[in-house]
Amino acid sequence: EGTLALDVRVAPLGARHVLLLVEDRTQARRVEEVRRDFMANVSHELKTPVGGISLLAEAIADAADDPEAVARFAGRIRAESQRLTTLVYEIVELSRLQAQESGAQMSLVDVGAVARDAIEGTRTVAEARNIEFVEVLDPQTLVYGDPGLLRTAIANLLTNAVNYSTERTRVAVSARNRGFVVEVAVSDQGQGIPAAELDRIFERFYRIDAARSRATGGTGLGLAIVKHICANHGGEVTVWSQEGHGSTFTIRLPAASHGPVPGAQAESES
Ligand code: ADP
């Protein structure tokens, strides 16, 4: 931080003048550093499940006469392979988003409908933990966006809300038309996030409790993906949390129809 990377070139211009070309490479260098860090993290993160799988394969070979142990190890190999598949998928997704090559198909999208879809997709996981979704979805929550990417962003927040909550609690989901912005909020009654971690959780591969994240099939990429999807839509994601009480993640996107939509106003004030 604070250092500039300048590329300086000098070209003679006749006998008494020189042309000085100064190119600011600071931004380019920073991008390059971020890319290198990411690649280092990726190889580290990939080594963990691959290492696990190869150890488990050895264990199976050694336990050939113990069918119960073989079945147990095989189950763990399956779980690790699944993790690896998710990880590879999310790494590719995030790289595309970062390069702004997400192949986004922008159209007029009803965010409330997308949220409803994401809720349906997460319901089985939620039911397994006895967590109930409570939703308030305004009509007329229109944005220009890619429905698939927006669904991914909302689904990632829902999955986290379910995974980091206590059993038998509620997760509130709302999609509201606030005039210039459309707001999606996901609130859980879970463990909350320490104030000092709030900025860091959006970083790639950052987890507060790696063991817990791994146990729930997390990759540490979910929130980084949400952040990039929001940024690519001209929006943002923010978090509010109180330790021991719960967290609220809010996505704000520029509304496609600026100003209050007639008829939707009364409901969005409730
Ligand atoms: P992960 O795959 O680990 O869930 P994310 O990028 O989605 O990765 O989240 C990063 C970290 O932020 C998680 O490991 C967890 O520690 C914390 N976190 C995310 N969502 C919540 C939440 N709703 N409540 C508590 N902690 C959360």
Side-chain angles (χ1 to χ4, degrees):
E1 258 200 84
T3 51
L4 284 176
L6 299 178
D7 222 24
V8 182
R9 266 168 291 167
V10 185
L13 265 189
R16 292 166 44 105
H17 295 89
V18 291
L19 180 65
L20 200 56
L21 279 166
V22 182
E23 189 185 355
D24 183 355
R25 303 263 317 145
T26 315
Q27 181 62 20
R29 179 169 303 178
R30 199 165 297 147
V31 167
E32 177 54 26
E33 277 168 9
V34 167
R35 197 193 62 84
R36 216 178 306 135
D37 281 358
F38 182 48
M39 291 319 291
N41 280 335
V42 163
S43 65
H44 173 81
E45 296 286 337
L46 289 175
K47 274 179 193 157
T48 311
V50 170
I53 288 170
S54 99
L55 285 175
L56 285 160
E58 275 172 38
I60 284 187
D62 291 343
D65 48 359
D66 182 352
E68 197 204 310
V70 169
R72 200 171 59 242
F73 294 144
R76 284 173 55 194
I77 288 184
R78 199 174 308 122
E80 287 295 312
S81 321
Q82 238 150 41
R83 250 184 68 69
L84 201 53
T85 306
T86 312
L87 194 57
V88 169
Y89 174 82
E90 292 197 338
I91 288 168
V92 171
E93 174 117 339
L94 187 58
S95 309
R96 280 214 199 115
L97 286 164
Q98 282 171 336
Q100 312 220 322
E101 288 165 2
S102 57
Q105 299 284 323
M106 303 301 247
S107 62
L108 206 53
V109 181
D110 180 350
V111 175
V114 171
R116 186 169 300 115
D117 203 33
I119 290 170
E120 285 319 314
T122 322
R123 214 181 276 288
T124 327
V125 200
E127 276 167 3
R129 308 208 60 231
N130 267 301
I131 288 169
E132 190 191 345
F133 287 123
V134 182
E135 62 249 39
V136 181
L137 307 173
D138 283 356
Q140 305 280 7
T141 47
L142 295 179
V143 303
Y144 274 109
D146 179 302
L149 290 176
L150 292 174
R151 186 185 190 282
T152 299
I154 298 171
N156 285 0
L157 295 184
L158 295 177
T159 309
N160 282 349
V162 168
N163 283 339
Y164 300 107
S165 286
T166 331
E167 290 205 18
R168 271 169 251 287
T169 54
R170 289 178 166 181
V171 170
V173 189
S174 64
R176 324 244 48 188
N177 181 339
R178 303 269 188 222
F180 284 97
V181 290
V182 166
E183 212 172 83
V184 178
V186 177
S187 292
D188 63 61
Q189 302 170 314
Q191 61 199 51
I193 301 158
E197 312 270 11
L198 284 176
D199 284 342
R200 305 216 58 192
I201 55 171
F202 293 98
E203 290 173 18
R204 294 165 305 204
F205 297 117
Y206 191 82
R207 304 133 167 144
I208 297 169
D209 176 351
R212 166 116 196 207
S213 164
R214 193 156 296 133
T216 57
T219 58
L221 292 176
L223 287 178
I225 289 175
V226 175
K227 189 177 98 176
H228 277 91
I229 291 175
C230 291
N232 288 8
H233 281 78
E236 59 169 12
V237 54
T238 55
V239 57
W240 178 92
S241 186
Q242 206 176 6
E243 255 193 288
H245 288 90
S247 315
T248 299
F249 286 83
T250 307
I251 291 176
R252 289 191 188 80
L253 302 166
S257 52
H258 284 182
V261 177
Q265 189 63 6
E267 271 185 75
S268 59
E269 298 294 31
S270 61

